[in-house]
Amino acid sequence: MTATVHSLRNRPPASIDRLVALTAPGLTAVNHVIIDRMQSPVALIPELAGHLIAGGGKRLRPMLTLGCAALLEYGGARHHKLAAAVEFIHTATLLHDDVVDASGLRRGKATANRLWGNPASVLVGDFLFSRSFELMVEDGSLKVLKILSHASAIIAEGEVAQLTAQRNVETGEDRYLEIITAKTAALFAAACQIAAIVAERDASVEAALQAYGRNLGIAFQLVDDAIDYVSDADTMGKDSGDDFRDGKITLPVILAYARGSEDQRNFWREAMSGRAVADADLAKARTLLLESRAVEDTMARARMYGAKAIDAISGFPNGLAKTALVETVEFAIARAY
Amino acid sequence: MTATVHSLRNRPPASIDRLVALTAPGLTAVNHVIIDRMQSPVALIPELAGHLIAGGGKRLRPMLTLGCAALLEYGGARHHKLAAAVEFIHTATLLHDDVVDASGLRRGKATANRLWGNPASVLVGDFLFSRSFELMVEDGSLKVLKILSHASAIIAEGEVAQLTAQRNVETGEDRYLEIITAKTAALFAAACQIAAIVAERDASVEAALQAYGRNLGIAFQLVDDAIDYVSDADTMGKDSGDDFRDGKITLPVILAYARGSEDQRNFWREAMSGRAVADADLAKARTLLLESRAVEDTMARARMYGAKAIDAISGFPNGLAKTALVETVEFAIARAY
């Protein structure tokens, strides 16, 4: 693993620019589908959906579908509609997540639930979710429908599991990994896997892309969880310390708790139960995380999953698409630095 | 229309018993699928879903799928899974509705959101919705997937439209009908229509069953809206006057407002805006609804849609299934008496 870290660190600054450039023409087509299909005679739907969809999202998941299709040298256009479907599922999930977490800020902007209220966010999420399935039906692949309906169920399962684990500082690392594999990595995995379906490649290709997406998704979430304790709202565009204040159990806390003295464990219990979440408590949490190397080791885990993602696509021919997908992994990890 | 009313009124007491008896064996199979497929390793999911699914629901929509399949003399078993999918969509909608309306009581029991909180209700709704699509994918009919994904989008659109119209007493009858056609009747229509798909009948049969379901659904919702002003929690199992207190614009209010004096219109504006919703205000509202014949005329509209539903299936051969479906319409309307 040291070698992996080394190879990641000695490259030029990690960037998603190559994936962006590679997928730019396709993403224009995807955005066209997204804008077209979020319309409704009920004006609040495009208004609310547009706030989030136009609001600074990187379109990472659609870009992954496009990037994986490029890796397979797929020359058609079916994946545009399907990448839009993936983005709709993602957007629906974000809308519902912000209701569930009572979040007020996302990507540096007020959340939809803060602006329009929880009811509208729940229902527009439902609309986008339904619309996503309509797009898949138009494409007509039962295989794709199976992958994305299953991923959606897994995501919801992961979100409920996270809710159940909320404020429970005894949540172990394994259980935490199960949760993020479901709530975050399942959609990354599906976004990549469906490229193999449209390109009509065999099950081994499906499995490779699925593994790339899943491991990238896990790495991505681990880095997100680390960032929540090392960054502030200005740089990351979300309320830093949100996870702490919400009593959200993430790997940094799990590791710090596991490694803490009885006094420190008491602090984490108090904090995660919501009884000690003042700014001074957050500052203390950050100190404990630093001292216990919990953030550092969360990042080490992220790098390991990143390495697994890269390994998963090592068998594909070298070229622009493969380089772009490798650099995307490096970028996902480098966000924390 | 008088003739229709007459014919409905001169029959023996309307009952859904014949549909229940006709579909009992099929419904056992459907319930088996429902119970089997609401399971999850995340214990909160079957716990919360089971509360609503086992909690006194009539399974009206699955029974409609089964009843329409019987009308077409379909002898297979495909519709069991699909009827379960319909019930999952319905259950997901109820879970989200109760969050949106902040309801505390449904079918005489505490709602899931009251017992487990809004976040769990939102996420378990998402799970059931995803699971519903997984069931459809297993069946493998893209036609069914198209019908039910479209219906789901229409339902969400109708719910958002209802939210937009909330507290707006100027909502006209036409717009109100559009809203209930979307939020309620679309799923009734789809539940009936898919029977034609599994029985492999032509587009005219699809259209007839779709029209039966749609008109039944409209009648059903109109009666529900009337009941909210004429019944109490003991008899209907939901908080009577909920619509009034939530400022939900329903046809009784629309008609009373349209027919009211300027004083009365002011009362409705105050009431629907939430500034006059005490018990005395509800009592006054009921008096105004009675005097303006608004509830009576809401029921007259319901009977008209009921008659349209019955007309829609008049071309099918007479028999047990047809009688059961006709009596279901009569039952839907008679609930208010």
Side-chain angles (χ1 to χ4, degrees), chain A residues 1-336:
Chain A
M1 217 178 81
T2 316
T4 306
V5 175
H6 189 74
S7 79
L8 286 171
R9 286 293 185 75
N10 279 1
R11 286 165 176 268
S15 157
I16 200 172
D17 292 354
R18 206 181 298 262
L19 183 67
V20 171
L22 174 75
T23 60
L27 200 59
T28 302
V30 173
N31 280 332
H32 193 81
V33 177
I34 287 174
I35 300 299
D36 185 46
R37 303 308 292 278
M38 73 183 200
Q39 300 309 315
S40 160
V42 182
L44 178 55
I45 291 176
E47 198 183 331
L48 190 154
H51 172 76
L52 190 53
I53 284 174
K58 291 180 301 295
R59 303 272 195 276
L60 181 53
R61 292 154 195 79
M63 281 200 295
L64 287 173
T65 304
L66 298 172
C68 288
L71 183 69
L72 305 180
E73 298 180 321
Y74 171 66
R78 274 178 62 192
H79 57 331
H80 297 156
K81 222 172 231 184
L82 296 177
V86 167
E87 187 69 0
F88 277 168
I89 291 176
H90 174 57
T91 308
T93 307
L94 293 185
L95 287 172
H96 288 186
D97 272 3
D98 284 341
V99 170
V100 165
D101 295 342
S103 301
L105 198 61
R106 177 179 290 280
R107 297 171 190 158
K109 289 172 64 175
T111 53
N113 51 309
R114 181 180 280 178
L115 293 174
W116 288 279
N118 286 342
S121 284
V122 170
L123 298 174
V124 174
D126 290 350
F127 174 81
L128 291 176
F129 198 60
S130 307
R131 196 36 72 83
S132 155
F133 279 95
E134 287 192 275
L135 282 166
M136 291 178 234
V137 170
E138 286 172 27
D139 174 70
S141 162
L142 280 166
K143 266 184 150 177
V144 169
L145 276 155
K146 184 176 180 176
I147 290 166
L148 283 171
S149 61
H150 185 61
S152 300
I154 293 290
I155 291 166
E157 233 168 28
E159 303 266 6
V160 178
Q162 178 171 263
L163 199 64
T164 308
Q166 202 176 22
R167 305 197 175 284
N168 178 9
V169 79
E170 306 281 349
T171 307
E173 179 169 354
D174 286 348
R175 179 149 170 70
Y176 166 79
L177 277 170
E178 278 173 25
I179 290 173
I180 67 168
T181 301
K183 74 159 192 154
T184 306
L187 192 56
F188 277 77
C192 295
Q193 188 181 356
I194 59 176
I197 310 291
V198 296
E200 297 177 351
R201 299 290 289 267
D202 66 22
S204 70
V205 172
E206 260 187 69
L209 295 184
Q210 207 261 6
Y212 167 81
R214 188 180 62 251
N215 286 295
L216 170 60
I218 295 171
F220 187 89
Q221 184 62 57
L222 287 169
V223 173
D224 249 24
D225 292 346
I227 288 178
D228 199 72
Y229 285 99
V230 296
S231 155
D232 56 42
D234 286 346
T235 57
M236 69 183 294
K238 76 171 196 178
D239 291 335
S240 173
D242 263 0
D243 292 351
F244 181 75
R245 279 182 288 266
D246 293 344
K248 194 174 277 182
I249 307 298
T250 59
L251 191 55
V253 173
I254 290 169
L255 294 178
Y257 178 80
R259 297 166 181 180
S261 66
E262 200 41 52
D263 263 9
Q264 290 170 349
R265 287 186 168 205
N266 277 334
F267 165 78
W268 286 114
R269 272 186 220 108
E270 287 293 301
M272 291 295 110
S273 69
R275 287 189 296 269
V277 291
D279 286 352
D281 299 308
L282 178 55
K284 178 171 178 184
R286 285 183 166 143
T287 305
L288 292 180
L289 291 168
L290 217 66
E291 286 174 5
S292 64
R293 307 173 61 101
V295 171
E296 203 175 325
D297 285 349
T298 297
M299 288 305 302
R301 308 283 205 277
R303 285 192 295 275
M304 186 201 70
Y305 285 101
K308 287 171 82 167
I310 292 169
D311 281 341
I313 53 168
S314 62
F316 292 98
N318 291 330
L320 200 57
K322 188 167 161 180
T323 306
L325 291 172
V326 168
E327 287 181 6
T328 299
V329 175
E330 293 166 0
F331 168 77
I333 289 162
R335 288 177 307 146

Side-chain angles (χ1 to χ4, degrees), chain B residues 145-188:
Chain B
L145 276 156
K146 183 176 181 177
I147 290 166
L148 283 171
S149 61
H150 185 61
S152 300
I154 293 291
I155 291 166
E157 239 171 11
E159 302 266 6
V160 178
Q162 177 171 267
L163 199 65
T164 309
Q166 202 177 22
R167 306 198 173 284
N168 179 9
V169 80
E170 306 280 349
T171 307
E173 180 169 354
D174 286 349
R175 180 150 170 67
Y176 167 79
L177 278 169
E178 278 172 25
I179 290 172
I180 66 168
T181 301
K183 74 159 191 156
T184 306
L187 192 56
F188 277 78

